[in-house]
């Protein structure tokens, strides 16, 4: 049996990239996984199919986080899916992975109010209210994992709006940890670095070489490597860790 046997999980933004890898790994560890997606239903169904082909259980749940009513709508869909597959509305693990990037290349002079608003709506406001409202489903001893980014601990002006909003997400982790500890619920941040998430930029050898140089391992990360770390944080093995910033950047932040 996997270490998440008889557990359930919701992974936001799980139709592709890091979110898909997290969903696959949690399912491999035994969790029933709700695969959230914003618009790409086909990709979400593919994630579900991959989980089912490996012997796991999953279902897709649509919600464009950041839109009005999206949090309540997502939780209603998740609750219905969990009841159908497990007979219970319990949600053991919540992974806030969905993100708005802030448009790569939009440095300080190019940032608009719309860019800032979108980043904060998706990367900070939605996770906060998702945690707040999901607490009715999360049992004592549950797990909340917020996926941030190494850019919050380094300098990357071309992603300033994204970094600002991810910094806010990390504050959610920090300030909720002591509040939820009374119920044995841990809240932690996992921060990936440059990770090959299937974006077309990773098909450019010169770009990959530049990105690889940021890591002490001189390569870009793989989505499965981030998912492995998330799986540990989601497990009982991480029960004595909360409020933490978990560096999953491949040593990018050492320099």
């Amino acid at each position: 049996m996997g270490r998440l046997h008889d557990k359930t999980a919701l992974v936001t933004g799980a139709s592709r990239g890091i979110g898909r890898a997290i969903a696959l790994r949690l399912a491999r560890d035994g969790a029933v996984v709700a695969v959230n997606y914003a618009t790409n239903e086909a990709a979400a169904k593919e994630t579900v199919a991959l989980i089912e082909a490996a012997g796991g259980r999953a279902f897709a749940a649509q919600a464009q986080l950041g839109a009005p009513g999206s949090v309540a709508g997502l939780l209603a869909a998740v609750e219905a899916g969990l009841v159908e597959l497990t007979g219970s509305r319990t949600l053991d693990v919540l992974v806030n992975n969905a993100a708005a990037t802030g448009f790569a290349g939009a440095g300080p002079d190019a940032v608009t109010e719309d860019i800032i608003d979108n980043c904060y709506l998706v990367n900070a406001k939605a996770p906060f209210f998702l945690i707040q409202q999901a607490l009715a489903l999360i049992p004592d001893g549950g797990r909340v994992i917020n996926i941030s980014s190494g850019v919050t601990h380094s300098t990357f002006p071309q992603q300033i709006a994204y970094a600002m909003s991810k910094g806010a997400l990390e504050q959610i982790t920090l300030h909720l940890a002591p509040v939820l500890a009374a119920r044995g619920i841990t809240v932690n941040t996992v921060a990936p670095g440059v990770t090959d998430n299937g974006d077309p930029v990773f098909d450019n050898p010169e770009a990959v070489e530049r990105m690889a140089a940021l890591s002490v391992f001189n390569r870009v990360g793989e989505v499965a490597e981030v998912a492995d770390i998330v799986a540990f944080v989601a497990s009982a093995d991480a029960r004595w860790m909360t409020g933490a910033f978990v560096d999953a950047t491949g040593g990018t932040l050492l320099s």
Side-chain angles (χ1 to χ4, degrees), residues 189-206:
T189 293
V190 173
V194 178
T195 307
D196 185 351
N197 60 4
D199 189 281
V201 70
F202 291 98
D203 295 328
N204 183 330
E206 293 182 358

Side-chain angles (χ1 to χ4, degrees), residues 78-90:
V78 168
E79 186 174 350
L82 291 176
V83 169
E84 181 178 349
L85 284 184
T86 72
S88 169
R89 59 198 291 270
T90 298

